[in-house]
Amino acid sequence: MTIAKDLSLEERILKLKEERNAVILVHNYQLGEVQDIADFIGDSLGLSQNAAKTKADVIVFCGVHFMAETAAILCPNMTVLLPDHHAGCPMANMINAEQLRQKKKELPNASVVCYINSTAEVKAESDICCTSANAVKVVESVANDEILFIPDQYLGHYISTKTNKKMHFWPGYCPTHARIRDRDIIRLKQEYPKAKVVVHPECRPEVIALADEVASTGGIIRYARREDVREMIVGTEIGIIHRLKKENPDKKFIPVSEQAVCPNMKLITLEKVLWSLEEMAPVVTVPKGIRLRAKATVDKMLTIV
Ligand code: SF4
């Protein structure tokens, strides 16, 4: 396949994308220039829903490994590309299938709700999946009153404040969101007294306690569109600031911490997206036995939202 070299990087990607009948799905935490070439940009829930309904032959997933794996689970006949195969999620890797099987033996009466930030093997061992956008609704939908929530202890703790279910947590966490601290919010509230504080539910409980709104990245984007919001203190990965500013150029967005950067998300660059489409690699696949069980877990979630 020959692509004219005098085209810009973005133009070469778009041309090759058309020739491959590919769709580019991009998470809200990606680099700004990667967000700007997206066919769809969103949170894990929106990206899963889009992957499930796309008619393309190829999905270029600009996010981390579990997201590309979820697309491969939902779309077995498509080629799913993750432009850098090192782009993993440390939280998803904090539990594996064997550890989950052991925990299930300790808690035989609990239903397992897994956060979408988990491997396909862990999803296959779980009863239902959720994202940060629908976690409370999913947990409430489970008939059982006892829940084992994996792997994010902080999201689990947040859900437990919204439900009467008896909840057990796995001690996983997001290292990026753990860098968002309550002391920084308290300082910023003094500096910007009119600003709304909006944080992601992967944040620590003491951070969530200071928030006006707790939401997924998709929810944060929607909240920023409200007319009464002019200034916003944002407690999540700072990649989201690009989209917030682009959609709301007359509003002010203040990240709680400039340190809240997910190095894995930032591994995806425009050069790697182009290379990935040229080479049709790296491809993410899930073995059929695991895929079918993991799909049942994800499908259950998609019928609820
Ligand atoms: S921001 Fe946190 S949860 Fe999201 S991919 Fe990075 S490490 Fe994983």
Side-chain angles (χ1 to χ4, degrees):
M1 201 160 283
T2 46
I3 300 284
K5 297 286 184 217
D6 53 347
L7 298 178
S8 71
L9 200 49
E10 289 85 347
E11 287 167 337
R12 289 163 72 188
I13 291 169
L14 295 180
K15 194 162 190 311
L16 197 46
K17 184 189 80 167
E18 241 170 66
E19 290 176 19
R20 299 280 196 211
N21 189 26
V23 65
I24 301 180
L25 303 184
V26 178
H27 191 270
N28 286 318
Y29 295 157
Q30 289 287 294
L31 292 168
E33 60 265 32
V34 177
Q35 294 187 29
D36 292 343
I37 56 152
D39 289 301
F40 178 80
I41 172 168
D43 58 15
S44 299
L45 177 59
L47 292 170
S48 312
Q49 287 168 323
N50 263 270
K53 67 177 187 220
T54 182
K55 297 277 181 284
D57 296 318
V58 177
I59 295 175
V60 183
F61 215 114
C62 301
V64 290
H65 192 265
F66 76 82
M67 297 177 178
E69 233 182 19
T70 306
I73 289 166
L74 292 169
C75 315
N77 299 324
M78 289 178 203
T79 303
V80 178
L81 302 172
L82 178 65
D84 187 320
H85 73 280
H86 294 295
C89 168
M91 182 210 283
N93 294 332
M94 286 178 188
I95 186 167
N96 61 35
E98 183 48 34
Q99 289 170 311
L100 177 53
R101 281 191 286 270
Q102 283 303 321
K103 196 70 189 171
K104 280 163 68 172
K105 281 184 196 156
E106 286 170 35
L107 299 167
N109 298 321
S111 294
V112 181
V113 179
C114 72
Y115 190 22
I116 197 160
N117 299 34
S118 53
T119 63
E121 287 190 350
V122 164
K123 286 185 178 79
E125 287 290 333
S126 302
D127 294 303
I128 188 167
C129 183
C130 74
T131 71
S132 54
N134 60 22
V136 175
K137 211 168 164 185
V138 166
V139 166
E140 283 289 292
S141 77
V142 177
N144 193 349
D145 278 337
E146 190 176 353
I147 305 286
L148 167 60
F149 188 84
I150 57 166
D152 185 2
Q153 60 180 311
Y154 295 140
L155 176 59
H157 179 271
Y158 172 69
I159 300 164
S160 73
T161 65
K162 304 278 172 196
T163 174
N164 290 325
K165 305 263 184 201
K166 179 180 180 189
M167 292 190 61
H168 305 274
F169 310 125
W170 186 261
Y173 65 96
C174 164
T176 299
H177 284 86
R179 288 189 204 116
I180 295 168
R181 305 309 298 257
D182 51 343
R183 57 175 177 260
D184 293 323
I185 296 184
I186 292 166
R187 177 178 50 78
L188 287 169
K189 275 175 82 153
Q190 283 167 357
E191 209 176 321
Y192 301 95
K194 290 189 182 146
K196 299 284 186 194
V197 178
V198 185
V199 308
H200 193 277
E202 286 173 20
C203 290
R204 298 164 185 269
E206 64 271 23
V207 167
I208 286 179
L210 294 171
D212 295 300
E213 181 78 2
V214 181
S216 66
T217 56
I220 292 173
I221 300 281
R222 285 190 294 279
Y223 189 87
R225 293 179 191 140
R226 281 173 41 162
E227 273 194 14
D228 59 328
V229 176
R230 307 303 309 164
E231 295 180 335
M232 216 166 101
I233 296 169
V234 185
T236 192
E237 210 275 350
I238 60 169
I240 199 171
I241 302 287
H242 175 79
R243 185 165 170 205
L244 288 170
K245 281 186 177 165
K246 200 170 161 182
E247 284 194 8
N248 309 276
D250 54 336
K251 298 186 180 184
K252 189 167 181 65
F253 300 99
I254 310 115
V256 176
S257 170
E258 295 285 353
Q259 308 296 315
V261 178
C262 176
N264 303 284
M265 285 281 180
K266 305 311 189 226
L267 285 175
I268 311 293
T269 61
L270 286 181
E271 286 81 1
K272 288 178 192 169
V273 172
L274 179 61
W275 177 84
S276 184
L277 274 165
E278 280 173 349
E279 301 295 320
M280 291 296 284
V283 176
V284 175
T285 55
V286 179
K288 194 175 175 193
I290 293 169
R291 188 184 72 74
L292 292 176
R293 289 165 59 219
K295 185 170 187 303
T297 304
V298 178
D299 280 346
K300 253 186 247 169
M301 168 187 84
L302 293 175
T303 60
I304 287 168
V305 291

